Amino acid sequence: DVIIIGGGIAGLSAAIYLGRAERDTPVVDSGHSMAKWEPEVRNYLGFPKGVSGENLLKFGRQQARFHEVEFANDEIKSVRQRKTGFTLRGRRASYRSNRLLIATGIFHLPPEIAGVQECLGHSMFFCKDCDGYRVRGKRIAICGANDEAVEYALGMLCYSACVIVATNGEKQRWSPRHTKWLREYEIPVQRARLTGVHPRGCQVRGLRLTGGTEVRIDYIFPTRVDVFHTELAESLGAKLDREGQIKVDQCMRTNVPRLYSAGCVTPAN
């Protein structure tokens, strides 16, 4: 009945509901969900002590399988629409379905700072709404040079009084209004290029600047550069919004008949 491309949180949620609705719903998953980046998720309903992203995906699969959802570990390379539905070509096999739900997700590009990769999900985060609570009272650096970086820093003041903006040598692109806010709230700006981080395991201890200076911090929040995995949807003629997300209506339908989308690849995230 329906094939779901993507076995992350959105794809698994859809699979569980479709399975419970007695729909034949295989999930084709390449195993690249960003949930795997999270060593501990603390804001998910039903896990008061937190849960790792890996376990959250594992539990979701178990729940979907209980409702007879099947999984294929494969990466879909192309999709074609026919009168009777969709034909999908993967690396390992081909698939056919009447309807298609694309839940291929998003990828946050980490900042180009030496040593920062090891800190992902431990002391570098991308979402203040998800992870601001866990950094309360700590020293926080917002990496960016635009209006978003300033607004991010202002938002983080709700969690800590020690917040700086580090532009990594980029020319500042914030507006006069945002400049005024930086001054009003006394948010320091480090304009030097970052040569790396001072880590201790997965924990950031400082930002290393050109010239040998080091700024002591505990956590990094970069302004996000997001890559939306929309290639398959676009190949079928699905429309995107200005941010590059797949446009959907209140029922998660795209402009293409029988094509649906869900999760971080849509504005409904």
Side-chain angles (χ1 to χ4, degrees):
D1 295 317
V2 186
I3 285 180
I4 297 172
I5 303 178
I9 304 301
L12 290 173
S13 299
I16 290 166
Y17 272 89
L18 287 165
R20 287 174 60 85
E22 300 292 326
R23 298 293 190 270
D24 180 16
T25 309
V27 176
V28 183
D29 182 30
S30 63
H32 295 144
S33 171
M34 282 198 65
K36 293 183 177 181
W37 283 21
E38 288 285 353
E40 187 178 24
V41 180
R42 298 182 181 179
N43 61 336
Y44 209 85
L45 179 67
F47 296 94
K49 295 182 179 180
V51 60
S52 71
E54 288 272 9
N55 278 337
L56 196 55
L57 294 172
K58 181 181 75 173
F59 298 150
R61 279 198 172 212
Q62 290 174 351
Q63 191 172 356
R65 285 194 177 104
F66 180 81
H67 298 293
E68 300 183 357
V69 173
E70 296 182 350
F71 289 85
N73 297 321
D74 201 352
E75 181 181 359
I76 300 302
K77 303 302 294 181
S78 64
V79 182
R80 295 183 66 184
Q81 188 173 26
R82 302 180 183 276
K83 291 182 179 180
T84 56
F86 298 90
T87 300
L88 292 66
R89 183 178 62 83
R91 287 187 180 272
R92 298 182 178 180
S94 295
Y95 313 85
R96 289 186 178 183
S97 69
N98 185 30
R99 290 176 172 82
L100 183 63
L101 190 151
I102 292 179
T104 42
I106 193 174
F107 182 74
H108 303 319
L109 290 176
E112 295 181 0
I113 304 171
V116 82
Q117 290 279 356
E118 294 78 8
C119 303
L120 283 169
H122 297 276
S123 54
M124 188 184 81
F125 305 103
F126 289 95
C127 178
K128 66 179 183 296
D129 299 321
C130 300
D131 298 301
Y133 184 84
R134 74 170 78 192
V135 303
R136 291 171 298 161
K138 301 298 184 179
R139 298 169 296 189
I140 301 164
I142 309 300
C143 292
N146 54 11
D147 288 348
E148 181 188 358
V150 178
E151 293 167 9
Y152 216 132
L154 291 169
M156 292 307 295
L157 288 176
C158 295
Y159 302 103
S160 174
C162 188
V163 179
I164 69 167
V165 174
T167 66
N168 195 15
E170 294 183 31
K171 182 180 179 180
Q172 63 188 52
R173 303 185 302 280
W174 46 69
S175 70
R177 184 183 184 187
H178 287 74
T179 301
K180 181 181 177 181
W181 285 339
L182 286 171
R183 292 172 180 164
E184 181 180 351
Y185 289 93
E186 299 180 343
I187 298 173
V189 177
Q190 289 289 342
R191 293 180 170 82
R193 186 157 192 82
L194 305 178
T195 60
V197 297
H198 173 193
R200 183 177 296 171
C202 298
Q203 181 62 49
V204 173
R205 294 299 181 192
L207 291 176
R208 291 172 175 157
L209 313 178
T210 52
T213 305
E214 181 172 313
V215 179
R216 304 295 289 175
I217 64 160
D218 302 303
Y219 293 95
I220 298 173
F221 283 79
T223 49
R224 283 165 42 173
V225 178
D226 295 333
V227 177
F228 298 99
H229 297 303
T230 60
E231 297 86 356
L232 295 175
E234 288 184 83
S235 72
L236 293 168
K239 293 181 180 179
L240 308 183
D241 65 12
R242 290 183 179 180
E243 294 185 17
Q245 303 165 110
I246 300 171
K247 285 186 174 181
V248 292
D249 65 13
Q250 70 274 14
C251 296
M252 311 311 291
R253 294 175 295 209
T254 72
N255 61 292
V256 179
R258 293 180 292 186
L259 177 65
Y260 300 76
S261 188
C264 293
V265 77
T266 74
N269 172 42

